[in-house]
Amino acid sequence: MQVKKQLTLRAGTFLILFLFTSDKANTEFIIKSVNLFIQPRNEVQRGTNVSLICQAEVSQSPGSNPNYEYIFYKDYEMLLTEKTTATHWFYSIPDARVFHSGKYECAVVIGHQNKKSGSTDLTVKGLLTPVLSVDQQRLKEGDNVTAVCTAEGEMGSLMFSFRDGPVELYRKSTNTQKVEQKLAFEHKRMRTVNMFCYYSISLGSKIEISNNSNVIDIDIQELGITPEINVMPSANVIEGDLLTFSCNVDMTYQKNSELRISLVHGHTTLGLNMGQKTYNMSAKANDSGQYECIASLGAIHKSSSVNITVNQLFSVPALSIHPPEVFEGEHFDITCHTDIIASVRIQREDIKYFIYKEKTLVISNYRYSNTARNVTNGKYMCVAKANGIIKESSNVLFRAKVLVSQPEIRVDAPPVIVDKHFWIHCHSQNGSLPIIYTLKRNNITVNRTEVSNPHEKARFIAMISAPSDISSYFCEAENNGKISVKMSQRLNETVIVPVGKPLFTVIPIPGNIEEGEDVTLICGIPKGSPPINFSFYGNSHTPINTTTVQSNSSSFVLSAVSRQKSGNYYCEAFNLANKLSKSDIISIEVSLAKWKKILTVAFCLLILALVVIFIVLRYKAKRGRETYNPPASQAAHMPDLMPAFPKSDDFLIHESHYSGFSVGVNNKESVWSEKPPDISDEGILQLPNEGDVEYTEVVHSQPLDPTRIPLRKGTDTVYSELQTQGSPDHINHQGLLEYAELNYDLPAPVD
């Protein structure tokens, strides 16, 4: 335990000293710059001694002696590293070669500091001319010659190339200074090979090529193993003749065990070791062509050839069927014949014919007859034989055509819509192509089309104006003239008649609809195929009812309508033709119920009666006041109560509410207002025969003529002279009233 503590203490002390020393070293030295120099210069000739000098400029503490580490690079790859205390270091390249060309750099490392110089190019000019040598300059065809190309003293990866003029013989890359290779040559017209070599070296993106080496002439002697080919009886024969081939080589090489002689026809080897035997074959027409004898010795091959022509003993038979198109039930003939025969060898009677169906013999004759039906369909061929020569015709497919069956007629996309185009499809389940289809309408041809492809369809465009027109269409099919015409059934498809414009009806008649009544909306169409979809619309333009029926009309009841149901109504209709039709708009006004009308009239009459009664009573009350006579005691005091006319420049103006008149002078008025007869607090009585006159005295600032009083009758003002008798202070009031009655329409007295 104590030993572990001591070791831990020592390790910690060492670490502290190391860190202190490292930190001190880092702070004592500063690498300011690093430079690389090339001596004697950057571009030199091959063989020059070159030196690369790496020099560092370092700031350091007095008395310090740092350790320098120098690293040299070529083309960014490290060449060497060297540690020293010197402030510069040399890298020497003695006897420089082109290989040494490239970009050089150096770096200086002191402790944890390092700095690299810039890159400097070194170019070495001049490649050494290579030297070519061979082991022999005269050799036989097929022999090998050893060639050596040497570039003494060159370094790096070198690519050597051996050439014979423009023809390259061999190429090889190596890091050595030479290449050695064995080369073989074939003789061509006793030629001489002019051999030389060169090499190249890759310097980054550039390739340096040396000069050509010395040229060495090599003479090649030909091998005399070219065979001679012989054919018996001749190179032009007739089928069935026997051909004999032989190949002969110079006896000097005949005994060489390595010699191989073969007979070849095209890509087929017919015989081997032909130097010691012949090859026999019976000639056939397809044996015509080039035949070769090939002699091989090692890698050397020599050949000679001959063209053989084999004439036909008879031509390849041809099978024919008559007539070329046969329908089931019709007669047909199959014949086999040859066009060419070699009359010098055979006659036509010497050829035997055989007719086969599906490789089964049908007849041993050149002719075969039968009636076309399903079992006679198949592939037929014939075989001709003469003098051992057998030839086959090509296969001929016989298939009896099938008469067209009754066509089917239908609509491509039912249902049919009146006054719209639709497609009619005609098709026969059986019948050989081509088939001609004819669309007819009431025996009148509408259109014709021919179907020649199994994927084709006979389609016709048509249109009808009434549902009954659909059955007027039918089609015909034929594939063997008029005798094969088949007629379809008449077209029978569902026909849709588009809806006409709907007729919209309201019951009861608009204008006679009262609250609480049921209103029936009826929508009918003049034409259209069911089912029919009817929709009823109100003010909101959204359907209030939608229904589908099998008839041409539909209805909808608005139960116990209110005045809020007033508005515009209409209906729409459509069917499978998808043609939407809209009716005219009808305006519905819902009026009050009868009892509400009666109640309203009664109420109005009651109000009117009350008004009349009130007026009558009011009128009678007024008349009663007008005929009232005051008592005698009250009449005795009336003269004293009458107002006196104004003196000099004063004037009294009277206005009566009975007759509605007023008198005014200089903007001063006196109003007679209507009052019920009573006695005032002063004991003054307002007389009824004076029209409930109220007196108001108006004082005027200017004198007036008391004899002219402006009076108003209705809306007109009139003037009348008043004659006063006696004192102006005592006016006959009764006379004024009589005057007013004469000039104004006062109410008549009530009896």
Side-chain angles (χ1 to χ4, degrees):
M1 190 71 178
Q2 188 175 2
V3 174
K4 289 184 178 180
K5 289 182 178 180
Q6 290 178 355
L7 290 174
T8 304
L9 181 60
R10 289 178 182 178
T13 304
F14 176 77
L15 180 60
I16 292 171
L17 291 174
F18 173 77
L19 293 174
F20 176 77
T21 305
S22 299
D23 183 65
K24 185 177 179 182
N26 288 337
T27 57
E28 288 180 348
F29 308 99
I30 298 175
I31 303 175
K32 298 177 67 176
S33 64
V34 177
N35 297 301
L36 179 65
F37 304 98
I38 298 178
Q39 296 294 338
R41 53 189 169 274
N42 290 64
E43 184 175 320
V44 297
Q45 290 294 322
R46 174 178 55 86
T48 304
N49 295 326
V50 177
S51 296
L52 280 69
I53 304 170
C54 186
Q55 186 172 3
E57 182 180 354
V58 179
S59 296
Q60 60 190 34
S61 301
S64 61
N65 189 19
N67 289 321
Y68 295 82
E69 182 179 2
Y70 292 93
I71 305 173
F72 288 87
Y73 298 88
K74 179 193 175 187
D75 295 331
Y76 309 106
E77 294 184 2
M78 189 174 67
L79 287 176
L80 62 87
T81 178
E82 184 69 32
K83 293 183 179 180
T84 181
T85 58
T87 58
H88 60 274
W89 193 254
F90 295 88
Y91 174 68
S92 299
I93 304 176
D95 194 15
R97 303 293 180 180
V98 173
F99 166 74
H100 294 112
S101 298
K103 290 183 177 295
Y104 287 85
E105 295 173 304
C106 74
V108 175
V109 180
I110 302 176
H112 294 289
Q113 298 185 51
N114 67 81
K115 199 172 190 67
K116 185 181 283 188
S117 70
S119 61
T120 303
D121 292 331
L122 172 63
T123 303
V124 180
K125 296 285 189 179
L127 286 174
L128 183 68
T129 300
V131 176
L132 175 66
S133 60
V134 296
D135 60 344
Q136 55 179 331
Q137 291 183 258
R138 296 180 63 85
L139 64 156
K140 294 181 180 179
E141 188 178 10
D143 290 346
N144 294 328
V145 60
T146 301
V148 180
C149 187
T150 305
E152 191 69 36
E154 290 296 341
M155 303 172 63
S157 178
L158 306 178
M159 177 65 74
F160 286 90
S161 178
F162 295 87
R163 303 183 73 87
D164 174 18
V167 180
E168 185 174 64
L169 302 176
Y170 182 70
R171 175 185 289 187
K172 183 179 181 181
S173 178
T174 180
N175 289 321
T176 61
Q177 301 176 4
K178 67 177 181 179
V179 170
E180 180 177 328
Q181 182 63 31
K182 289 185 177 181
L183 303 174
F185 300 96
E186 294 182 7
H187 181 272
K188 294 181 180 179
R189 296 182 181 179
M190 296 298 293
R191 57 162 288 183
T192 299
V193 176
N194 305 117
M195 186 187 298
F196 64 91
C197 72
Y198 64 87
Y199 65 94
S200 61
I201 182 171
S202 178
L203 301 174
S205 60
K206 297 190 303 181
I207 296 177
E208 294 287 340
I209 301 176
S210 71
N211 295 326
N212 293 338
S213 69
N214 54 307
V215 179
I216 298 178
D217 296 332
I218 301 175
D219 295 330
I220 301 173
Q221 296 180 1
E222 182 183 9
L223 286 176
I225 59 172
T226 302
E228 180 184 356
I229 184 171
N230 296 307
V231 181
M232 296 295 292
S234 70
N236 194 335
V237 295
I238 298 175
E239 284 181 304
D241 291 349
L242 182 65
L243 283 174
T244 300
F245 293 91
S246 63
C247 298
N248 300 315
V249 179
D250 188 342
M251 293 303 296
T252 304
Y253 302 97
Q254 190 77 35
K255 296 179 180 180
N256 193 323
S257 59
E258 295 182 0
L259 182 66
R260 297 287 184 269
I261 302 175
S262 304
L263 178 64
V264 177
H265 174 46
H267 298 287
T268 304
T269 300
L270 301 178
L272 298 172
N273 299 320
M274 290 297 294
Q276 302 174 358
K277 62 180 181 179
T278 59
Y279 179 79
N280 301 316
M281 59 180 289
S282 178
K284 299 182 179 61
N286 56 1
D287 289 335
S288 297
Q290 187 181 65
Y291 289 78
E292 285 184 293
C293 281
I294 301 175
S296 302
L297 185 60
I300 304 303
H301 305 282
K302 304 289 184 178
S303 66
S304 59
S305 62
V306 62
N307 285 321
I308 301 297
T309 301
V310 179
N311 299 301
Q312 295 183 93
L313 181 65
F314 56 88
S315 60
V316 175
L319 185 141
S320 58
I321 300 176
H322 303 281
E325 290 186 354
V326 182
F327 283 85
E328 290 182 352
E330 296 180 346
H331 184 78
F332 71 97
D333 293 323
I334 297 177
T335 58
C336 187
H337 65 281
T338 57
D339 295 330
I340 302 172
I341 63 170
S343 57
V344 295
R345 295 284 193 273
I346 59 171
Q347 301 298 317
R348 290 192 177 275
E349 294 79 11
D350 297 330
I351 303 175
K352 304 298 180 183
Y353 295 96
F354 306 88
I355 297 176
Y356 292 82
K357 173 182 174 289
E358 304 291 350
K359 298 183 180 180
T360 300
L361 181 65
V362 175
I363 190 172
S364 298
N365 202 334
Y366 72 95
R367 184 172 181 176
Y368 170 69
S369 300
N370 206 336
T371 299
R373 55 189 184 275
N374 189 47
V375 295
T376 59
N377 294 337
K379 293 181 179 179
Y380 288 84
M381 64 165 289
C382 70
V383 175
K385 297 181 180 180
N387 287 2
I389 302 299
I390 301 174
K391 295 185 179 183
E392 298 178 354
S393 71
S394 58
N395 289 319
V396 177
L397 177 64
F398 174 78
R399 186 175 298 278
K401 301 188 73 174
V402 179
L403 289 173
V404 69
S405 61
Q406 182 183 19
E408 298 175 356
I409 184 170
R410 61 179 177 83
V411 174
D412 266 1
V416 176
I417 298 174
V418 172
D419 293 330
K420 278 193 175 182
H421 289 96
F422 61 94
W423 288 97
I424 295 177
H425 175 67
C426 291
H427 176 69
S428 295
Q429 292 293 337
N430 298 315
S432 300
L433 299 175
I435 299 175
I436 298 174
Y437 292 94
T438 304
L439 178 68
K440 291 190 174 184
R441 181 175 182 178
N442 293 328
N443 295 321
I444 298 174
T445 299
V446 177
N447 204 348
R448 291 167 62 91
T449 185
E450 181 177 300
V451 175
S452 303
N453 191 299
H455 302 291
E456 288 184 59
K457 293 182 179 180
R459 299 172 72 229
F460 306 93
I461 192 167
M463 186 174 69
I464 60 175
S465 57
S468 59
D469 294 342
I470 195 70
S471 60
S472 63
Y473 286 98
F474 64 92
C475 65
E476 294 178 345
E478 60 179 275
N479 63 350
N480 190 26
K482 295 297 183 181
I483 62 173
S484 64
V485 174
K486 298 290 191 304
M487 186 177 72
S488 72
Q489 299 290 332
R490 290 189 174 269
L491 183 60
N492 182 18
E493 290 287 353
T494 301
V495 178
I496 301 297
V497 179
V499 298
K501 183 175 181 178
L503 177 63
F504 186 48
T505 308
V506 178
I507 299 175
I509 298 173
N512 298 326
I513 301 173
E514 297 179 352
E515 285 182 308
E517 289 186 335
D518 291 344
V519 176
T520 303
L521 308 179
I522 303 173
C523 191
I525 55 173
K527 63 176 181 178
S529 300
I532 310 296
N533 183 282
F534 290 96
S535 297
F536 296 89
Y537 293 83
N539 283 331
S540 61
H541 299 290
T542 57
I544 58 177
N545 179 258
T546 298
T547 183
T548 301
V549 297
Q550 295 295 325
S551 60
N552 62 351
S553 65
S554 179
S555 63
F556 175 67
V557 177
L558 296 172
S559 301
V561 295
S562 62
R563 299 193 69 186
Q564 287 74 18
K565 295 294 184 178
S566 298
N568 296 327
Y569 288 80
Y570 64 94
C571 70
E572 291 179 345
F574 70 91
N575 60 1
L576 295 177
N578 290 326
K579 179 183 178 182
L580 183 65
S581 187
K582 179 180 177 181
S583 72
D584 293 331
I585 296 175
I586 294 180
S587 180
I588 296 178
E589 183 68 32
V590 180
S591 61
L592 288 173
K594 288 183 179 179
W595 67 271
K596 288 185 179 181
K597 292 180 181 179
I598 294 172
L599 182 61
T600 302
V601 172
F603 180 76
C604 292
L605 292 175
L606 178 60
I607 296 299
L608 182 60
L610 292 175
V611 171
V612 170
I613 292 170
F614 175 77
I615 293 172
V616 169
L617 292 177
R618 181 75 172 173
Y619 178 76
K620 286 182 177 182
K622 290 180 180 180
R623 291 296 295 172
R625 288 194 296 269
E626 290 174 359
T627 58
Y628 175 74
N629 293 318
S633 60
Q634 293 180 0
H637 297 285
M638 288 183 65
D640 296 334
L641 297 174
M642 294 296 292
F645 279 102
K647 297 177 182 180
S648 65
D649 57 351
D650 293 331
F651 187 72
L652 182 64
I653 301 173
H654 301 273
E655 179 176 316
S656 175
H657 281 260
Y658 279 128
S659 54
F661 69 88
S662 63
V663 179
V665 177
N666 293 335
N667 300 327
K668 297 292 181 76
E669 291 183 349
S670 176
V671 179
W672 296 0
S673 60
E674 184 179 334
K675 276 189 178 182
D678 59 357
I679 300 174
S680 66
D681 295 340
E682 290 80 2
I684 301 174
L685 175 65
Q686 300 291 341
L687 297 179
N689 59 356
E690 292 180 348
D692 296 335
V693 177
E694 181 180 359
Y695 298 92
T696 303
E697 184 175 350
V698 181
V699 180
H700 297 272
S701 59
Q702 59 184 2
L704 298 173
D705 185 358
T707 62
R708 282 193 75 86
I709 303 173
L711 301 176
R712 179 181 300 169
K713 185 176 182 180
T715 57
D716 298 328
T717 302
V718 296
Y719 294 88
S720 177
E721 293 184 359
L722 296 178
Q723 301 294 331
T724 62
Q725 295 180 1
S727 174
D729 297 333
H730 300 281
I731 298 176
N732 187 354
H733 195 261
Q734 182 65 33
L736 288 173
L737 289 175
E738 291 175 357
Y739 176 81
E741 288 177 356
L742 290 173
N743 290 280
Y744 301 99
D745 297 328
L746 297 177
V750 180
D751 293 337

